[in-house]
């Protein structure tokens, strides 16, 4: 808050978040008109018979550094949506499609070395406009052989759902807002005159005390959202918490086809490991156990290990991304889990539960040793010595939340690796890096 520009940005930030916060307390991805449309998808159809399994290879013809190849199987939903209507097979390829790029698709039957059919080149429209608007004479590209046909359709302009909520984004936003509150409190009782419009020189008077109250109100509503709507309890009760975990996301204040408006509806088909680790790091053991009962934070971590833990010869090496493949090891999300274990261990020790604290500390050290399997040397001609970095994951894997994990060095993973190095152990969710969570009780008491 060293100059008028930063004061103005901080003030406008609060205004933007207030507009994006719903009655449930959750903050939306974006307000209408602020987020571009997504790029649509390619729909592939074929009518060949006689094969128990088909695969499709896709090549990016415009990618300069390497020839990309993706194998899409019609019986594997992780790579796209599939349908079977009599003899017609349909697959929707949604991933890693770049506007303006040309793609080649090859259709194979199981056991075939040569493709059954080839679509040699299809260009993704710019700005994901509907293909009908590009060329009135446009025809869907297709390859026809004696045995059947292979057709491609493009559906563009898939609109963003502005009612969608990400709990991961809300947790990290909560952490940032709480740190921001600490900075604002340093300027308590101060008043600033800032230029609100450089065109006419008009000024806006910013009362920091007023902004502090607005920020505390936003935070209190978010906390109430996590407490009321954030936790999936399944059929569990106070004595059985094995079904408990934080949701990945949902929709808020969305109008349904019958005209009614739903306050909050969670997505219950995907488990996101980072929603557990980031969420519990930020909320902390005192808050989670205070809301849901003693040992709740510890139990949610046990559930996370069971659902998404990556074990090698019985030893915990880290976590993956979701509940569909425990053979995946994510360095970024494992470091987040290490951070959480270190924070919760300190808090459970203060709460007199040394048994839980010791177990959490042991998990942190076990995962730190395990994730070193993803630390690699990187040769770069710009440096005289080999550099090091962490691979994003141990294998290529489609993450259910919309992107691919690849076994390549990654900035996010390597940055987390530095933060969790034993010489540093810096918690990015707490101003100053302390292995602790903020005390949320004072804010909740005022609202």
């Amino acid at each position: 808050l060293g100059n008028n520009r930063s004061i103005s940005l901080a003030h406008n930030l609060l205004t933007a978040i207030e507009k994006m916060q719903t009655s449930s307390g959750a903050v939306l991805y974006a307000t209408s008109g602020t987020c571009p449309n997504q790029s649509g998808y390619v729909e592939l159809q074929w009518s060949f018979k006689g094969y128990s399994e088909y695969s499709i290879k896709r090549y990016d013809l415009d990618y300069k550094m390497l020839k990309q190849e993706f194998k899409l199987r019609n019986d594997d939903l992780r790579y796209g949506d599939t349908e079977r209507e009599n003899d017609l097979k349909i697959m929707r390829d949604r991933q890693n499609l770049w506007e303006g790029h040309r793609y080649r698709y090859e259709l194979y039957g199981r056991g075939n070395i040569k493709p059954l059919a080839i679509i040699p080149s299809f260009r993704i429209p710019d700005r994901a406009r509907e293909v009908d608007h590009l060329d009135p004479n446009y025809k869907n590209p297709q390859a026809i052989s004696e045995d059947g046909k292979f057709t491609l359709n493009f559906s563009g302009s898939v609109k963003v759902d502005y009612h969608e909520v990400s709990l991961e984004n809300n947790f990290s936003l909560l952490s940032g807002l709480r740190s921001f509150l600490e900075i604002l409190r340093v300027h308590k009782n101060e008043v600033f005159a800032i230029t609100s419009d450089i065109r006419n020189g008009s000024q806006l008077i910013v009362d920091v005390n007023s902004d502090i109250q607005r920020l505390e109100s936003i935070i209190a509503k978010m906390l109430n959202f996590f407490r009321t709507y954030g936790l999936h309890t399944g059929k569990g009760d106070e004595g059985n918490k094995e079904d408990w975990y934080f949701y990945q996301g949902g929709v808020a204040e969305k109008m349904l086809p019958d005209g009614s408006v739903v306050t909050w509806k969670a997505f219950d088909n995907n488990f996101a490991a980072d929603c557990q680790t980031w969420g519990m790091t930020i909320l902390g053991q005192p808050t989670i156990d205070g809301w849901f009962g003693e040992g709740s934070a510890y139990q949610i971590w046990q559930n996370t290990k069971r659902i998404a833990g990556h074990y090698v010869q019985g030893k915990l090496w880290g976590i993956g991304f979701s509940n569909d493949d425990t053979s995946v090891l994510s360095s970024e999300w494992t470091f987040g889990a290490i951070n959480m274990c270190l924070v919760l261990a300190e808090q459970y020790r203060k709460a007199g539960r040394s048994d839980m604290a010791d177990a959490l500390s042991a998990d942190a050290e076990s995962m730190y040793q395990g994730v070193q399997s993803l630390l690699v040397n990187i040769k770069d001609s710009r440096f005289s010595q080999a550099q090091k970095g962490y691979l994003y994951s141990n294998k290529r894997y489609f993450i259910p939340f919309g992107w691919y994990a690849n076994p390549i060095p990654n900035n996010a993973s390597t940055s987390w690796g530095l933060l969790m190095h034993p010489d540093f152990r810096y918690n990015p969710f707490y101003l100053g890096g302390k292995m602790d969570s903020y005390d949320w009780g004072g804010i909740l008491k005022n609202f």
Side-chain angles (χ1 to χ4, degrees), residues 39 60 63 68 96-103 123-125:
S39 59
D60 186 338
Y63 197 70
Q68 289 183 310
N96 296 342
L97 297 173
W98 292 77
E99 296 174 355
H101 280 219
R102 293 171 301 118
Y103 292 94
R123 180 179 174 277
I124 301 295

Side-chain angles (χ1 to χ4, degrees), residues 384-447:
S384 58
Q385 295 181 335
Q387 307 301 299
K388 291 183 180 294
Y390 286 94
L391 303 180
Y392 188 65
S393 61
N394 63 333
K395 69 176 189 177
R396 180 170 170 80
Y397 161 75
F398 175 62
I399 303 167
F401 318 116
W403 71 99
Y404 280 94
N406 288 295
I408 58 176
N410 175 263
N411 279 337
S413 301
T414 304
S415 299
W416 266 107
L418 289 172
L419 294 175
M420 292 301 105
H421 191 280
D423 290 346
F424 304 117
R425 293 287 160 92
Y426 186 99
N427 174 17
F429 297 121
Y430 194 99
L431 192 64
K434 184 179 180 182
M435 285 296 167
D436 202 354
S437 305
Y438 287 112
D439 178 6
W440 303 105
I443 294 177
L444 288 172
K445 287 179 181 179
N446 296 328
F447 293 91

Side-chain angles (χ1 to χ4, degrees), residues 277-444:
T277 57
W278 288 26
M280 291 197 291
T281 304
I282 293 161
L283 293 177
Q285 172 269 330
T287 297
I288 295 174
D289 286 9
W291 285 350
F292 306 118
E294 182 181 354
S296 293
Y298 182 81
Q299 182 59 52
I300 294 171
W301 169 235
Q302 304 311 303
N303 300 343
T304 302
K305 289 192 293 181
R306 185 186 75 249
I307 295 171
H310 179 82
Y311 291 84
V312 176
Q313 297 180 346
K315 183 178 180 181
L316 179 66
W317 274 29
I319 61 173
F321 297 93
S322 190
N323 56 345
D324 64 337
D325 192 345
T326 57
S327 69
V328 179
L329 176 62
S330 162
S331 55
E332 180 193 8
W333 288 25
T334 294
F335 283 125
I338 293 170
N339 190 47
M340 178 214 66
C341 284
L342 294 171
V343 169
L344 293 185
E346 291 294 320
Q347 295 173 336
Y348 272 114
R349 203 172 302 282
K350 291 178 182 178
R353 293 303 304 265
S354 58
D355 55 336
M356 294 182 179
D358 291 343
L360 287 160
S361 296
D363 282 347
E365 295 310 315
S366 177
M367 289 189 290
Y368 187 79
Q369 294 301 317
V371 79
Q372 300 312 305
S373 64
L374 299 183
L375 182 63
V376 297
N377 290 322
I378 305 169
K379 293 183 179 180
D380 192 315
S381 59
R382 294 173 298 175
F383 303 101
S384 58
Q385 295 181 335
Q387 307 301 299
K388 291 183 180 294
Y390 286 94
L391 303 180
Y392 188 65
S393 61
N394 63 333
K395 69 176 189 177
R396 180 170 170 80
Y397 161 75
F398 175 62
I399 303 167
F401 318 116
W403 71 99
Y404 280 94
N406 288 295
I408 58 176
N410 175 263
N411 279 337
S413 301
T414 304
S415 299
W416 266 107
L418 289 172
L419 294 175
M420 292 301 105
H421 191 280
D423 290 346
F424 304 117
R425 293 287 160 92
Y426 186 99
N427 174 17
F429 297 121
Y430 194 99
L431 192 64
K434 184 179 180 182
M435 285 296 167
D436 202 354
S437 305
Y438 287 112
D439 178 6
W440 303 105
I443 294 177
L444 288 172

Side-chain angles (χ1 to χ4, degrees), residues 26-30 161-174 222 225-226 247-252 264 267 272 274-275 278 401 403:
V27 178
L28 302 174
Y29 270 128
D161 188 344
Y162 292 108
H163 296 276
E164 193 166 332
V165 170
S166 160
L167 259 72
E168 177 199 329
N169 291 172
N170 272 257
F171 280 130
S172 53
L173 175 63
L174 179 66
M222 294 182 73
F225 164 76
F226 290 127
Y247 287 109
Q248 180 264 331
V251 292
W264 166 254
F267 301 144
D274 64 336
C275 287
W278 288 26
F401 318 116
W403 71 99

